[in-house]
mmCIF file of all heavy atoms in Angstrom:
data_model
loop_
_atom_site.group_PDB
_atom_site.id
_atom_site.type_symbol
_atom_site.label_atom_id
_atom_site.label_comp_id
_atom_site.label_asym_id
_atom_site.label_seq_id
_atom_site.Cartn_x
_atom_site.Cartn_y
_atom_site.Cartn_z
ATOM 1 N N ASN A 273 -63.069 128.191 -67.219
ATOM 2 C CA ASN A 273 -61.930 129.109 -67.016
ATOM 3 C C ASN A 273 -62.268 130.532 -67.470
ATOM 4 O O ASN A 273 -61.806 131.507 -66.872
ATOM 5 C CB ASN A 273 -60.652 128.592 -67.695
ATOM 6 C CG ASN A 273 -60.810 128.289 -69.168
ATOM 7 O OD1 ASN A 273 -61.918 128.080 -69.653
ATOM 8 N ND2 ASN A 273 -59.704 128.258 -69.887
ATOM 9 N N ASN A 274 -63.125 130.652 -68.505
ATOM 10 C CA ASN A 274 -63.531 131.996 -68.933
ATOM 11 C C ASN A 274 -64.420 132.661 -67.879
ATOM 12 O O ASN A 274 -64.320 133.866 -67.641
ATOM 13 C CB ASN A 274 -64.288 131.930 -70.263
ATOM 14 C CG ASN A 274 -63.374 131.577 -71.424
ATOM 15 O OD1 ASN A 274 -62.163 131.440 -71.243
ATOM 16 N ND2 ASN A 274 -63.939 131.421 -72.605
ATOM 17 N N VAL A 275 -65.282 131.853 -67.259
ATOM 18 C CA VAL A 275 -66.152 132.407 -66.205
ATOM 19 C C VAL A 275 -65.286 132.938 -65.063
ATOM 20 O O VAL A 275 -65.487 134.046 -64.557
ATOM 21 C CB VAL A 275 -67.129 131.327 -65.674
ATOM 22 C CG1 VAL A 275 -67.948 131.870 -64.504
ATOM 23 C CG2 VAL A 275 -68.050 130.837 -66.790
ATOM 24 N N ARG A 276 -64.279 132.131 -64.674
ATOM 25 C CA ARG A 276 -63.408 132.565 -63.576
ATOM 26 C C ARG A 276 -62.619 133.815 -63.974
ATOM 27 O O ARG A 276 -62.472 134.748 -63.177
ATOM 28 C CB ARG A 276 -62.451 131.430 -63.182
ATOM 29 C CG ARG A 276 -61.557 131.751 -61.992
ATOM 30 C CD ARG A 276 -62.346 132.198 -60.775
ATOM 31 N NE ARG A 276 -61.593 132.092 -59.527
ATOM 32 C CZ ARG A 276 -62.005 132.606 -58.380
ATOM 33 N NH1 ARG A 276 -63.161 133.265 -58.313
ATOM 34 N NH2 ARG A 276 -61.290 132.458 -57.276
ATOM 35 N N MET A 277 -62.107 133.834 -65.204
ATOM 36 C CA MET A 277 -61.329 135.004 -65.637
ATOM 37 C C MET A 277 -62.207 136.257 -65.643
ATOM 38 O O MET A 277 -61.758 137.336 -65.263
ATOM 39 C CB MET A 277 -60.723 134.742 -67.027
ATOM 40 C CG MET A 277 -59.884 135.887 -67.580
ATOM 41 S SD MET A 277 -58.636 136.562 -66.435
ATOM 42 C CE MET A 277 -57.420 135.248 -66.406
ATOM 43 N N GLN A 278 -63.473 136.111 -66.028
ATOM 44 C CA GLN A 278 -64.363 137.277 -66.019
ATOM 45 C C GLN A 278 -64.557 137.787 -64.587
ATOM 46 O O GLN A 278 -64.581 138.999 -64.347
ATOM 47 C CB GLN A 278 -65.717 136.917 -66.655
ATOM 48 C CG GLN A 278 -66.587 138.134 -66.963
ATOM 49 C CD GLN A 278 -65.905 139.119 -67.925
ATOM 50 O OE1 GLN A 278 -65.475 138.736 -69.013
ATOM 51 N NE2 GLN A 278 -65.791 140.389 -67.526
ATOM 52 N N GLN A 279 -64.657 136.849 -63.628
ATOM 53 C CA GLN A 279 -64.776 137.265 -62.218
ATOM 54 C C GLN A 279 -63.535 138.048 -61.795
ATOM 55 O O GLN A 279 -63.624 139.037 -61.064
ATOM 56 C CB GLN A 279 -64.934 136.036 -61.309
ATOM 57 C CG GLN A 279 -66.245 135.282 -61.496
ATOM 58 C CD GLN A 279 -66.295 133.998 -60.662
ATOM 59 O OE1 GLN A 279 -65.332 133.626 -59.991
ATOM 60 N NE2 GLN A 279 -67.427 133.309 -60.712
ATOM 61 N N ILE A 280 -62.379 137.591 -62.261
ATOM 62 C CA ILE A 280 -61.110 138.257 -61.906
ATOM 63 C C ILE A 280 -61.072 139.661 -62.526
ATOM 64 O O ILE A 280 -60.722 140.643 -61.860
ATOM 65 C CB ILE A 280 -59.918 137.386 -62.379
ATOM 66 C CG1 ILE A 280 -59.855 136.105 -61.539
ATOM 67 C CG2 ILE A 280 -58.605 138.155 -62.299
ATOM 68 C CD1 ILE A 280 -58.972 135.007 -62.111
ATOM 69 N N ILE A 281 -61.467 139.754 -63.790
ATOM 70 C CA ILE A 281 -61.484 141.059 -64.471
ATOM 71 C C ILE A 281 -62.461 142.002 -63.761
ATOM 72 O O ILE A 281 -62.151 143.161 -63.479
ATOM 73 C CB ILE A 281 -61.873 140.877 -65.956
ATOM 74 C CG1 ILE A 281 -60.762 140.128 -66.696
ATOM 75 C CG2 ILE A 281 -62.164 142.227 -66.624
ATOM 76 C CD1 ILE A 281 -61.167 139.605 -68.072
ATOM 77 N N LEU A 299 -56.076 129.647 -66.623
ATOM 78 C CA LEU A 299 -56.284 131.100 -66.549
ATOM 79 C C LEU A 299 -55.514 131.817 -67.663
ATOM 80 O O LEU A 299 -55.990 132.802 -68.228
ATOM 81 C CB LEU A 299 -55.875 131.628 -65.168
ATOM 82 C CG LEU A 299 -56.735 131.115 -64.000
ATOM 83 C CD1 LEU A 299 -56.220 131.672 -62.675
ATOM 84 C CD2 LEU A 299 -58.209 131.489 -64.177
ATOM 85 N N ALA A 302 -57.493 131.367 -70.738
ATOM 86 C CA ALA A 302 -58.699 132.209 -70.707
ATOM 87 C C ALA A 302 -58.339 133.651 -71.050
ATOM 88 O O ALA A 302 -59.014 134.297 -71.858
ATOM 89 C CB ALA A 302 -59.361 132.134 -69.330
ATOM 90 N N ALA A 303 -57.259 134.159 -70.448
ATOM 91 C CA ALA A 303 -56.860 135.554 -70.710
ATOM 92 C C ALA A 303 -56.561 135.743 -72.197
ATOM 93 O O ALA A 303 -56.997 136.726 -72.813
ATOM 94 C CB ALA A 303 -55.645 135.919 -69.859
ATOM 95 N N MET A 306 -59.805 135.386 -74.374
ATOM 96 C CA MET A 306 -60.742 136.502 -74.214
ATOM 97 C C MET A 306 -60.120 137.823 -74.677
ATOM 98 O O MET A 306 -60.701 138.894 -74.487
ATOM 99 C CB MET A 306 -61.172 136.613 -72.736
ATOM 100 C CG MET A 306 -61.975 135.401 -72.257
ATOM 101 S SD MET A 306 -62.084 135.284 -70.449
ATOM 102 C CE MET A 306 -63.325 136.526 -70.084
ATOM 103 N N MET A 312 -54.066 141.547 -68.446
ATOM 104 C CA MET A 312 -54.170 140.721 -67.237
ATOM 105 C C MET A 312 -53.009 139.733 -67.174
ATOM 106 O O MET A 312 -53.023 138.692 -67.825
ATOM 107 C CB MET A 312 -55.507 139.951 -67.252
ATOM 108 C CG MET A 312 -55.726 139.026 -66.074
ATOM 109 S SD MET A 312 -55.789 139.875 -64.482
ATOM 110 C CE MET A 312 -57.318 140.812 -64.642
ATOM 111 N N VAL A 314 -50.943 136.779 -65.686
ATOM 112 C CA VAL A 314 -51.205 135.611 -64.837
ATOM 113 C C VAL A 314 -49.845 135.071 -64.420
ATOM 114 O O VAL A 314 -49.039 134.686 -65.264
ATOM 115 C CB VAL A 314 -51.986 134.514 -65.601
ATOM 116 C CG1 VAL A 314 -52.364 133.375 -64.655
ATOM 117 C CG2 VAL A 314 -53.231 135.091 -66.270
#
Side-chain angles (χ1 to χ4, degrees):
N273 54 339
N274 289 357
V275 175
R276 183 54 161 170
M277 180 49 72
Q278 193 59 54
Q279 293 175 356
I280 291 165
I281 292 166
L299 295 179
M306 295 164 77
M312 178 62 67
V314 186

